[in-house]
Amino acid sequence: MLSRRLGGRSRLLVGLAALVVGSSAVASTLNQNVSWTVDRAGTTAKYRVVAYGDSIYAGYNTSISNAAKYSAPTVDSEYLSALWNADIESIRRAKSGAVASDVYSNKIVAEKSYMQTASTRVVTFEMCGNDGLQARSAFKSQTGTCDYSGMNTALNNCKTYVAQAMDYINANAHPNTKLKVISNLYYPGYNADNVQSSCNDPTTGAKVNLRDKFLPYLTKMNYWMCEYARQKGFKCGDSFAEYMGADYDSNSDGQVDSAALRYVAGDTEAAYVTRITSTLKSTLRDANVKYVSSSSSYDYIQSDDTHPTYTGGTVSAGLWGGSTGTGAPRYTSFSGGKSPIWNNFGHERMGWTISVFNPATP
């Protein structure tokens, strides 16, 4: 009996090890759904924030069984709770490893009911990160003549499904919804990508710098996220600017770096790409060292060099299902619209970035 039990346990452990080792393949099937209600003392009204996305909104922390309790949408829910003096139900319907088409089809469309309740006030989503990561991984393994088609496909798929997602949310979110907002992409591994390719450019025959090749593609993805948002009644939380630029003027151009990097309504794609990849490229910094002043920095990226850092503990989410929970807000008021830790962690910064668009009343 003991040997049979151990044998079964061994098979389970082997299976779990296979999930971890094959995380790039399994991640696309790892739903990490969480419902967390910010329960504000002395209130009776309750409103809902619905967030769709991949591992970023999931609060992925390299675990297959739990995730950050306070990923960006739940951080925003704390801001809303204080602003509206209400309880806020943060619904995160996320799928770690999912590409844009998967987030669109299997989260936004298949789980539309979450944004159709009368209590819904905010709908937010993020996508495209895994399209870019998969294209990057494939390109890094190339030898011989470089083929850029994978990155072009990732860009085109991102544009297609971001636009479709916005149209679908516009058509299906409850009429009580007051804010629809997308969060764009930061660049994980910005420093690590500052190396030469193993393949040769088909025109020059030379190796290419991976970061120089990837940055324009990511920048175009971000442009269209924000531009489609402008066209379709969404707001755009510019996580790229907030993660990749310092919170001081490092190049003495009269602008705080993170502010100067933000998408500006009315920008053409060419103008935005030039500003990010050329004019202000010298101000870009890897988000592992996010300077909040000229002498102080925080790490916005976990040890996997991909996912945002967080604080506030974890909740069950992943292989054994999602979770539902309730808790008092960590902070009941916000001086100047910012929590005391608004710029200390990646998820706190992203949540604040979303929160600046919050309507004054529910």
Side-chain angles (χ1 to χ4, degrees), residues 42-63:
T43 65
T44 56
K46 182 166 74 172
Y47 303 103
R48 174 179 285 192
V49 173
V50 181
Y52 299 103
D54 51 38
S55 58
I56 304 303
Y57 272 7
Y60 184 75
N61 64 350
T62 75
S63 169

Side-chain angles (χ1 to χ4, degrees), residues 16 20 28 40-41 90 115 137 152 156-157 214 216 252 284 303 317:
L16 292 178
V20 174
S28 64
R40 190 174 180 86
S90 173
M115 61 175 158
S137 294
N152 287 314
N156 290 331
N157 285 347
F214 298 146
S252 301
L284 297 180
S303 59

Side-chain angles (χ1 to χ4, degrees), residues 59-362:
Y60 184 75
N61 64 350
T62 75
S63 169
I64 60 174
S65 61
N66 61 65
K69 181 187 297 183
Y70 291 98
S71 80
T74 306
V75 171
D76 180 45
S77 296
E78 283 194 318
Y79 283 103
L80 283 168
S81 177
L83 184 63
W84 294 348
N85 191 33
D87 298 338
I88 304 296
E89 182 185 29
S90 173
I91 303 289
R92 288 149 44 188
R93 306 302 297 181
K95 194 173 186 182
S96 290
V99 294
S101 61
D102 197 357
V103 174
Y104 172 72
S105 298
N106 293 310
K107 286 300 175 182
I108 294 173
V109 175
E111 301 185 3
K112 64 182 180 181
S113 62
Y114 290 96
M115 61 175 158
Q116 292 179 318
T117 62
S119 63
T120 301
R121 292 298 182 274
V122 178
V123 179
T124 181
F125 76 98
E126 51 82 24
M127 58 170 58
C128 300
N130 288 300
D131 299 75
L133 290 174
Q134 291 180 18
R136 179 173 71 175
S137 294
F139 185 78
K140 284 182 176 180
S141 67
Q142 288 185 24
T143 57
T145 302
C146 296
D147 179 1
Y148 304 128
S149 62
M151 288 184 282
N152 287 314
T153 297
L155 171 59
N156 290 331
N157 285 347
C158 179
K159 292 170 62 177
T160 295
Y161 289 104
V162 164
Q164 289 188 18
M166 289 180 180
D167 289 341
Y168 194 85
I169 291 168
N170 280 337
N172 287 275
H174 195 279
N176 287 343
T177 301
K178 284 203 165 184
L179 171 65
K180 291 166 283 189
V181 55
I182 188 172
S183 179
N184 72 5
L185 303 174
Y186 56 92
Y187 189 150
Y190 184 73
N191 280 352
D193 281 349
N194 190 23
V195 295
Q196 296 299 100
S197 64
S198 298
C199 62
N200 301 306
D201 183 85
T203 301
T204 66
K207 307 292 185 186
V208 297
N209 180 276
L210 296 183
R211 187 167 73 185
D212 290 345
K213 181 55 65 174
F214 298 146
L215 181 60
Y217 282 96
L218 182 144
T219 303
K220 290 176 183 178
M221 287 181 177
N222 281 343
Y223 172 80
W224 285 106
M225 287 183 193
C226 292
E227 177 60 14
Y228 283 143
R230 185 189 67 82
Q231 295 177 15
K232 297 175 183 291
F234 276 65
K235 299 297 184 182
C236 184
D238 199 335
S239 293
F240 180 88
E242 303 301 332
Y243 274 51
M244 307 300 295
D247 293 334
Y248 71 98
D249 182 5
S250 72
N251 63 343
S252 301
D253 67 351
Q255 301 180 86
V256 170
D257 292 359
S258 55
L261 290 167
R262 291 174 191 153
Y263 163 84
V264 176
D267 267 353
T268 63
E269 181 188 57
Y272 177 76
V273 171
T274 297
R275 177 155 56 90
I276 301 300
T277 65
S278 179
T279 309
L280 297 178
K281 185 181 179 182
S282 66
T283 69
L284 297 180
R285 297 289 183 271
D286 192 296
N288 277 293
V289 185
K290 163 68 183 186
Y291 279 94
V292 297
S293 72
S294 60
S295 59
S296 180
S297 67
Y298 294 97
D299 189 349
Y300 277 17
I301 307 292
Q302 295 178 43
S303 59
D304 63 0
D305 207 20
T306 302
H307 295 93
T309 52
Y310 64 93
T311 188
T314 62
V315 289
S316 297
L319 192 61
W320 289 278
S323 64
T324 300
T326 301
R330 297 171 298 173
Y331 306 100
T332 57
S333 62
F334 299 94
S335 177
K338 296 176 178 178
S339 84
I341 57 172
W342 74 281
N343 62 359
N344 293 186
F345 300 90
H347 273 296
E348 297 293 328
R349 185 63 174 249
M350 189 179 294
W352 171 80
T353 301
I354 299 168
S355 79
V356 300
F357 303 110
N358 286 338
T361 62

